[in-house]
């Protein structure tokens, strides 16, 4: 037997797979720096668009988010508004905004007196350290808001 007959030949499809992988990695490297995140100004514009120039009072809205998120892929977010939820006075909606997400408005919840309680929970992707703002609109048109900053660490090591 010659050494030539003992040589192992890689099938062509593994080279194609390697080339596809390299092309995908290069494409991701080009796009990653261009990923756009909403800015504080864009969040302010969105708030103005939705609520006009109405004054937002503090209080009533509780926003429970981690102060530090070691894994930005699964940031828990809990919202709760102190309201009796009666026919005359109830929470119409809770809107969540974040200045580090691709879109300034993350989610909008709508309630009626039959909801019994104005509370909701979600898991939000946190690509970077960012401010999360919750705005509650009451049935009389008044607005209440709160804001929390979530620090996202890189791989749980700080950053």
């Amino acid at each position: 037997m010659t050494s030539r007959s003992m040589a192992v030949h890689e099938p062509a499809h593994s080279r194609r797979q390697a080339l596809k992988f390299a092309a995908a990695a290069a494409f991701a490297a080009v796009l990653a720096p261009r990923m756009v995140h909403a800015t504080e100004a864009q969040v302010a514009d969105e708030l103005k668009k939705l609520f006009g120039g109405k004054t937002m009072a503090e209080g009533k809205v509780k926003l429970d988010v981690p102060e530090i998120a070691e894994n930005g892929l699964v940031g828990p977010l809990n919202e709760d508004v102190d309201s009796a939820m009666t026919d005359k006075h109830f929470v119409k909606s809770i809107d969540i905004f974040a200045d580090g997400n691709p879109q300034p408005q993350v989610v909008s919840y709508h309630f009626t007196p039959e909801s019994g309680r104005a509370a909701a929970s979600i898991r939000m992707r946190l690509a970077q350290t960012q401010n999360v703002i919750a705005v509650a609109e009451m049935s009389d048109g008044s607005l209440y808001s709160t804001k929390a900053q979530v620090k996202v660490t890189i791989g749980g090591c700080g950053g």
Side-chain angles (χ1 to χ4, degrees):
M1 262 193 179
T2 65
S3 63
R4 186 174 196 172
S5 65
M6 296 178 85
V8 176
H9 296 283
E10 289 187 40
H13 66 84
S14 67
R15 279 180 281 199
R16 271 188 242 127
Q17 287 174 338
L19 286 172
K20 285 180 183 178
F21 178 75
F27 185 70
V30 168
L31 285 182
R34 298 175 189 219
M35 290 179 74
V36 178
H37 300 289
T39 63
E40 287 184 46
Q42 289 171 317
V43 169
D45 288 345
E46 191 70 19
L47 287 167
K48 188 173 183 180
K49 192 185 316 177
L50 288 174
F51 304 112
K54 288 184 180 179
T55 302
M56 294 184 198
E58 290 193 22
K60 291 197 183 256
V61 182
K62 294 177 188 161
L63 186 59
D64 183 20
V65 295
E67 198 172 306
I68 298 175
E70 290 184 11
N71 183 352
L73 294 176
V74 290
L77 196 79
N78 301 303
E79 312 85 33
D80 193 359
V81 181
D82 182 21
S83 172
M85 298 298 284
T86 64
D87 287 339
K88 292 183 181 185
H89 190 70
F90 62 94
V91 178
K92 282 177 46 178
S93 64
I94 301 174
D95 294 280
I96 306 295
F97 302 87
D99 59 25
N101 276 349
Q103 297 294 318
Q105 186 174 21
V106 176
V107 68
S108 182
Y109 300 100
H110 298 277
F111 301 93
T112 67
E114 289 80 27
S115 300
R117 184 171 167 215
S121 297
I122 62 169
R123 292 203 174 270
M124 181 174 120
R125 182 169 175 244
L126 304 161
Q128 63 188 24
T129 297
Q130 58 192 278
N131 295 308
V132 178
I133 300 167
V135 178
E137 183 175 11
M138 309 304 279
S139 57
D140 65 2
S142 60
L143 300 174
Y144 292 90
S145 70
T146 192
K147 178 178 170 181
Q149 184 181 63
V150 181
K151 295 177 184 171
V152 178
T153 61
I154 299 172
C157 300

